Amino acid sequence: MARIPFISTVLLGLLFHIPAFAQSVKSVTYDELYDEPYEINKLFMKLQPVITEYNSINMYVGFGLEAEYYHESLLDIKANFRRSYGQKFDLMQDLSSKNNIQTVNNIPTVTKAAMSGELIGTYHIKDFEKDTETKMILYRSSYRRSNKWRSKVPDHIKVPSKVRKIIGGRFGPYFQGSGMDVRLAMDKQGIESLQGAGPENVDQTLTPNDPNQFPDGVPSLYTNQSSLGFALGGSLSWIKNFAIKPTRTFASTASDMIITTYFDVLIAPWNTIENFNYKGVEYDASVIKHTAVGFRAGVDGKFNREFGWGYGAEMGMRPGVQKQTFFAVIKISIPIFSTNLNHEVEAFSK
């Protein structure tokens, strides 16, 4: 029985000392190379070889181009354009190309490639600097030579640094367009039939779900839709731009990430659904209803380097075909080229 208090004492001792065994606390000194969150590049040019978008109307994989310009602490402007790689990577375009019934002059009707673009300006309502603490990973070049990095938990230290925060107001135009499934839109909105004009302007009625009109099954019907409007919202950015050189055997390390989160209300006063042709009859698609207001939330990240990479994602309810407004986008940017646009050469007198 005398062993029980002893064992309890040992277990309690181990419990309180577990943190000491779990982490290796080392004293590391370093020299600060720079800590200037306002000294960032002004122009970023992004190639986005991989963009994936899923929405209630279509789904595609494509590419994009994006440019961002920072004007001191006053504002920044972002322009981007993206589209699908082509028919095999665009669901609606691929399905419509395989539809042999819906034709114009015996040529299969193929919807347009999915694409979108925008020009968004962000006014810096509040642009300020704060003191913070950043976790920095320590790395030795010897790890690579000996392959120790495969089994070693990285060492890290917390370093006092500065962070620049920008509270911004966003505004700008945008557009988007892609193919769409007419029958799916009719089903979701409870539309039973469409009217069309055949040869010699003879009225025709198309009722896709009518077994008497289509005894062999529901026909496939595709057309194009597009929206033009503007985004109005706000954003919050975090900018760090500093580097240190540990005085021991660790390599220099930097933290230069620029992260922006945003939320926009999307307003699209101009929505279009094109009329479509089915067996030589042009049908009026204007009865399909639109939604003019939506929203989105997103995040963008990149590095303040001459050559780097970045990422982006957004999700929300996009104005367009009613009851088919959900969308989600993932973007990978590589490479990103950036410059401070300073081409002056410093001169010294003799």
Side-chain angles (χ1 to χ4, degrees):
M1 297 298 294
R3 291 184 178 181
I4 294 179
F6 173 76
I7 294 174
S8 300
T9 302
V10 172
L11 291 176
L12 287 173
L14 288 173
L15 180 63
F16 285 109
H17 285 81
I18 282 177
F21 293 124
Q23 60 182 358
S24 176
V25 179
K26 298 179 181 179
S27 177
V28 177
T29 59
Y30 62 89
D31 294 323
E32 182 182 287
L33 301 180
Y34 58 85
D35 188 3
E36 300 172 340
Y38 280 88
E39 296 298 322
I40 64 171
N41 289 332
K42 293 182 178 180
L43 179 64
F44 293 82
M45 302 294 295
K46 303 178 183 180
L47 174 63
Q48 297 168 331
V50 179
I51 293 178
T52 302
E53 176 170 338
Y54 168 81
N55 59 64
S56 300
I57 295 176
N58 194 8
M59 179 173 61
Y60 72 88
V61 177
F63 66 94
L65 299 171
E66 189 168 299
E68 285 184 89
Y69 173 73
Y70 288 83
H71 181 72
E72 305 299 336
S73 60
L74 179 63
L75 58 83
D76 60 85
I77 301 172
K78 180 174 73 172
N80 69 57
F81 172 81
R82 60 178 182 261
R83 61 156 290 166
S84 63
Y85 282 126
Q87 179 180 315
K88 298 298 183 181
F89 299 89
D90 188 321
L91 180 62
M92 287 297 105
Q93 198 173 44
D94 191 45
L95 291 176
S96 65
S97 69
K98 296 174 180 177
N99 178 18
N100 296 319
I101 299 177
Q102 181 185 347
T103 61
V104 178
N105 297 327
N106 296 320
I107 300 174
T109 300
V110 180
T111 61
K112 297 176 182 178
M115 63 181 65
S116 64
E118 64 183 16
L119 178 64
I120 303 295
T122 301
Y123 175 71
H124 297 181
I125 298 173
K126 187 175 182 180
D127 191 334
F128 58 101
E129 183 182 285
K130 289 187 65 176
D131 292 329
T132 187
E133 201 171 49
T134 302
K135 182 183 291 187
M136 306 291 285
I137 296 177
L138 301 178
Y139 174 80
R140 290 189 178 96
S141 58
S142 60
Y143 291 168
R144 181 180 299 173
R145 291 194 297 269
S146 63
N147 284 331
K148 288 183 179 179
W149 61 272
R150 297 182 183 273
S151 60
K152 185 176 179 63
V153 176
D155 294 309
H156 65 269
I157 56 174
K158 290 185 177 180
V159 178
S161 62
K162 298 175 183 177
V163 60
R164 176 184 175 188
K165 293 185 177 182
I166 301 173
I167 299 174
R170 293 161 48 92
F171 178 80
Y174 84 95
F175 78 92
Q176 71 82 26
S178 78
M180 62 170 286
D181 186 327
V182 175
R183 185 180 57 80
L184 180 60
M186 293 176 64
D187 290 344
K188 286 184 174 294
Q189 296 185 20
I191 300 172
E192 295 183 355
S193 63
L194 299 175
Q195 300 300 315
E200 300 180 357
N201 292 322
V202 177
D203 291 341
Q204 300 283 346
T205 300
L206 177 65
T207 308
N209 294 319
D210 184 356
N212 295 320
Q213 187 175 4
F214 299 100
D216 296 329
V218 179
S220 298
L221 306 170
Y222 301 96
T223 188
N224 296 297
Q225 62 81 33
S226 61
S227 297
L228 175 63
F230 56 90
L232 174 65
S235 64
L236 177 60
S237 298
W238 294 266
I239 301 175
K240 290 184 179 181
N241 187 41
F242 76 98
I244 62 171
K245 174 63 177 75
T247 54
R248 298 179 62 177
T249 57
F250 296 104
S252 298
T253 184
S255 178
D256 54 3
M257 194 71 182
I258 302 175
I259 299 176
T260 299
T261 59
Y262 56 90
F263 179 87
D264 295 328
V265 175
L266 303 175
I267 303 174
W270 303 280
N271 292 283
T272 302
I273 297 178
E274 297 179 4
N275 294 342
F276 63 94
N277 187 284
Y278 181 73
K279 290 187 175 181
V281 179
E282 182 176 323
Y283 287 92
D284 181 11
S286 63
V287 296
I288 300 176
K289 300 180 180 66
H290 303 95
T291 297
V293 180
F295 67 89
R296 67 179 176 186
V299 60
D300 279 310
K302 59 182 178 292
F303 293 93
N304 181 45
R305 302 173 188 174
E306 185 175 358
F307 292 99
W309 65 277
Y311 62 87
E314 63 182 41
M315 180 184 299
M317 309 295 284
R318 177 189 288 155
V321 181
Q322 193 176 97
K323 297 187 177 181
Q324 291 182 273
T325 58
F326 174 79
F327 80 101
V329 181
I330 297 176
K331 302 177 286 185
I332 301 297
S333 301
I334 184 170
I336 297 178
F337 170 75
S338 68
T339 174
N340 61 9
L341 299 177
N342 183 7
H343 302 292
E344 296 181 354
V345 177
E346 190 173 6
F348 299 92
S349 61
K350 293 184 178 179

